[in-house]
Amino acid sequence: MRNKKILLVISLIVVTLCFTACGDKKEENPYGSVIAGLGDDEAYAVLVMDYPYHVLVTSDLLYDAGMEKQAAANCDVYYYEDHEARKLGTVMSAGTAYPIAFSKDGIYAASGSSVEKYVISEKNGGLILEKGIYIKYDENGNESYSCMIDGEESDSTEQAYLELFEEYASAQVVHFAYGAADCLNEIMKR
């Protein structure tokens, strides 16, 4: 129990340093209580995105993605607003071949027949599906494409699917960490 308390204190110190290291973001650590409440098997990542505060994601289903650090196929998304850290929702990919990734403005999930981009809405403060493109197969195995934008479904094209999938493939894989490990995720130059 004592070791867990020491690890928790170290974790909070490191998280505070992570937040104060980025001068263009708010200097307070709005996620300390969320991180302190994580279980032993839960990890987190702090995403540097184009929002007033960093975005916190947590997951308890991590895997080693080879050259990548710990990755996840699903995560809970938290954002600080109205003076509290709120869980906005969950983003889920379809397995270890499709790790959760992020860009400056979105969090991505994918599968062999779908790709989705989620954003944090500054209007309603929620996690929303900005765009999702899905491959559908009929009884003869013919494929068609559908798109979900702003809650409206419409027909789409293979080209639109490939473009959104390329956007996902170009995004940064989220690297999760336990305890006091480095958790700050910034877009790396390629």
Side-chain angles (χ1 to χ4, degrees), residues 21-174:
C22 296
D24 64 330
K25 297 290 180 177
K26 306 291 183 188
E27 289 192 20
E28 61 189 90
N29 174 5
Y31 301 115
S33 62
V34 175
I35 294 168
L38 293 177
D40 291 341
D41 293 336
E42 294 176 290
Y44 65 98
V46 179
L47 309 180
V48 177
M49 300 175 74
D50 285 342
Y51 296 111
Y53 289 93
H54 296 310
V55 176
L56 176 73
V57 291
T58 65
S59 183
D60 61 353
L61 296 172
L62 301 183
Y63 62 94
D64 182 357
M67 300 275 301
E68 304 291 342
K69 295 179 184 177
Q70 298 290 323
N74 71 350
C75 66
D76 291 331
V77 179
Y78 294 83
Y79 191 68
Y80 183 77
E81 61 187 5
D82 297 329
H83 307 290
E84 69 177 326
R86 291 186 26 226
K87 179 180 173 184
L88 302 182
T90 302
V91 175
M92 295 177 62
S93 279
T96 58
Y98 305 98
I100 298 296
F102 76 105
S103 65
K104 287 290 188 182
D105 65 341
I107 300 173
Y108 297 86
S111 74
S113 60
S114 69
V115 61
E116 299 172 325
K117 179 181 181 181
Y118 293 86
V119 297
I120 296 172
S121 169
E122 295 186 38
K123 288 182 196 173
N124 64 14
L127 181 69
I128 60 169
L129 175 64
E130 181 181 74
K131 186 174 190 178
I133 301 181
Y134 311 91
I135 302 173
K136 297 183 203 178
Y137 297 94
D138 66 17
E139 61 277 352
N140 296 324
N142 299 314
E143 59 185 43
S144 62
Y145 296 84
S146 66
C147 182
M148 185 69 74
I149 298 177
D150 295 328
E152 298 290 324
E153 186 174 359
S154 62
D155 290 337
S156 191
T157 65
E158 179 180 20
Q159 181 63 31
Y161 174 82
L162 293 173
E163 287 172 6
L164 188 57
F165 201 89
E166 177 58 33
E167 194 175 314
Y168 161 72
S170 297
Q172 178 71 41
V173 171
V174 176

Side-chain angles (χ1 to χ4, degrees), residues 6-22:
I6 291 170
L7 184 60
L8 177 62
V9 170
I10 292 170
S11 297
L12 290 175
I13 291 169
V14 169
V15 169
T16 301
L17 292 174
C18 287
F19 282 101
T20 59
C22 296

